[in-house]
Amino acid sequence: MALMVVKFDLKKRVKLAQTVWFMYWFAVLAGILVLSLGLFFKIELRKRSELMDNNESHFLPNLLIIMGLIACCINAFGGKVCYDSLDPIKFAKWKSLLKTFLVFCMGFNVLLLVTSLLCFVMRIPLQFTLAEGLKNGMRFYKDTDTPGRCYMKRTLDLMQMEFRCCGNDNFRDWFEIQWVSNRYLDFSAKEVKDRIGSNVDGQYLMDGVPFSCCNPSSPRPCIQHQMTNNTAHYSYDHYTEELNVWRRGCRDALLSYYGGIMNTIGALVVLVAMLEVAVTIGLQYVDSSLSTLANPEDIESESEGFLLEKTVKETFTDVMAKMKAMGKGGKVEEGGEEGGVATVS
């Protein structure tokens, strides 16, 4: 017994085909939207690719671009089929392909839902990628004369000003690395000698941060050096004083920014997947309503459209039986080949 049977006459079939045709071309625009979102996300990631530890972060935008291209192609094809369904002669050439096409559409819809799920869960690996990338970027901040790293200072400064953040987890991360190049240090000065000598790795560490960490909204001039030395500044206590540098870490700021983009894209892809499911169901009804004409030679005769030719349970049983048959067929072929080899030997 067929599932969700609907009776059609010629007028209803024409209206169905026109509605699904319109939905398919709307779905083409949805495919373009997915493609555009993938390109936008890829561009946003590339802007700060130096601050990411690997290229795996580009997997999601690349997947969105591919899914958008596929969506445009299959929806354009589906729209053409619905348009030709109004003419029995034109529709006949697509009849043999429709079953395969509908199965492909079902698989694509599943992949689209998986893609939307990835938009939400990829935030977790992105967090580790940003943490390691920012850590390495901060170590290279001082290397303004080193080929391949001379851009890192500018990248980090612009990022900290744009996202109003400082350091990886917080501003104290800058206390743990040497972020001033040796070319700007006076090694004859006692302070420099003492700081380098007191460090095991021979680095010039100080309780200061780059200028890009300063909060311009603070009424007090920015205190970015000797931040833990109360005597170095008038009326200042770094334990109680409201510091005039950004307190938020850049990893959290970037994760919030990219996470917001990914959540928005994920929600939109879910909507696109729902539209794709709707047009696939619509095409199934178009196909089944034309296949069950009471009089195939009379296009005005009544017919029945259905979602599945059998019940869900029967359909599932048939699919499992076909898969088992395919598996047994493969084993028989392997056994035949082994027998043939043994006979020859």
Side-chain angles (χ1 to χ4, degrees):
M1 181 180 177
L3 180 67
M4 297 181 67
V5 179
V6 180
K7 292 187 178 296
F8 289 93
D9 55 21
L10 177 60
K11 186 178 180 180
K12 287 184 177 179
R13 283 196 299 271
V14 171
K15 189 174 182 180
L16 172 66
Q18 290 175 339
T19 302
V20 178
W21 174 83
F22 176 78
M23 290 175 65
Y24 260 120
W25 287 109
F26 190 73
V28 170
L29 297 178
I32 295 174
L33 174 64
V34 174
L35 171 64
S36 302
L37 290 172
L39 289 172
F40 168 75
F41 191 31
K42 190 175 184 68
I43 291 171
E44 286 300 304
L45 287 174
R46 280 194 175 277
K47 285 181 180 178
R48 302 168 190 90
S49 58
E50 303 92 348
L51 303 176
M52 298 186 185
D53 186 43
N54 53 51
N55 294 322
E56 295 176 5
S57 55
H58 290 274
F59 168 76
L60 183 58
N62 290 338
L63 179 61
L64 288 167
I65 292 170
I66 294 171
M67 296 301 284
L69 288 172
I70 296 175
C72 291
C73 294
I74 65 173
N75 290 324
F77 179 79
K80 173 64 175 173
V81 171
C82 287
Y83 181 80
D84 287 347
S85 67
L86 300 174
D87 186 340
I89 297 176
K90 291 182 178 180
F91 183 71
K93 64 181 180 181
W94 304 119
K95 189 64 181 172
S96 59
L97 299 175
L98 270 183
K99 295 295 182 185
T100 304
F101 178 69
L102 285 168
V103 172
F104 178 80
C105 288
M106 290 171 62
F108 175 75
N109 294 340
V110 172
L111 287 177
L112 206 55
L113 287 172
V114 172
T115 302
S116 66
L117 180 63
L118 287 176
C119 289
F120 297 108
V121 302
M122 285 295 284
R123 181 189 180 101
I124 299 173
L126 180 62
Q127 179 178 357
F128 296 104
T129 297
L130 286 171
E132 194 63 29
L134 284 168
K135 182 179 178 181
N136 292 332
M138 290 172 65
R139 284 197 299 113
F140 301 144
Y141 182 89
K142 67 180 185 303
D143 299 338
T144 52
D145 297 327
T146 305
R149 299 177 183 172
C150 54
Y151 55 82
M152 190 57 71
K153 178 183 182 298
R154 179 178 181 275
T155 300
L156 279 168
D157 283 333
L158 289 175
M159 178 202 65
Q160 291 190 143
M161 289 187 289
E162 179 182 356
F163 289 94
R164 299 186 174 188
C165 59
C166 185
N168 193 339
D169 293 316
N170 54 60
F171 67 91
R172 292 184 179 275
D173 293 331
W174 289 107
F175 297 179
E176 301 171 3
I177 61 171
Q178 179 179 336
W179 54 271
V180 177
S181 175
N182 286 339
R183 66 179 296 187
Y184 302 114
L185 296 176
D186 181 6
F187 287 93
S188 62
K190 183 179 184 302
E191 180 189 358
V192 174
K193 290 181 179 180
D194 291 343
R195 286 186 179 275
I196 294 178
S198 63
N199 183 260
V200 176
D201 298 323
Q203 293 185 332
Y204 180 75
L205 304 183
M206 58 180 180
D207 53 346
V209 297
F211 76 96
S212 53
C213 283
C214 293
N215 180 359
S217 300
S218 174
R220 180 170 187 160
C222 186
I223 298 177
Q224 64 182 104
H225 297 292
Q226 297 186 3
M227 295 177 65
T228 60
N229 185 359
N230 292 337
T231 61
H233 313 283
Y234 176 74
S235 184
Y236 175 76
D237 183 354
H238 75 278
Y239 289 110
T240 59
E241 185 82 10
E242 184 67 29
L243 297 179
N244 48 11
V245 297
W246 303 118
R247 291 178 172 274
R248 189 183 191 186
C250 290
R251 179 180 61 175
D252 180 60
L254 286 174
L255 188 63
S256 178
Y257 174 70
Y258 286 122
I261 293 177
M262 292 163 69
N263 290 341
T264 302
I265 293 176
L268 290 173
V269 173
V270 169
L271 295 177
V272 172
M274 292 171 64
L275 176 62
E276 292 291 345
V277 171
V279 294
T280 302
I281 292 173
L283 184 59
Q284 167 62 17
Y285 273 104
V286 170
D287 179 32
S288 57
S289 64
L290 289 172
S291 302
T292 58
L293 287 170
N295 182 4
E297 296 180 359
D298 182 12
I299 193 173
E300 295 186 2
S301 60
E302 292 188 349
S303 62
E304 290 184 345
F306 47 80
L307 183 59
L308 292 175
E309 193 171 357
K310 300 178 181 179
T311 63
V312 175
K313 183 178 179 180
E314 291 172 340
T315 303
F316 180 76
T317 303
D318 287 348
V319 171
M320 294 301 295
K322 288 179 181 178
M323 292 178 65
K324 287 181 180 179
M326 291 174 63
K328 289 181 180 179
K331 289 181 180 179
V332 169
E333 289 179 3
E334 290 178 3
E337 291 178 0
E338 289 177 0
V341 172
T343 303
V344 171
S345 60

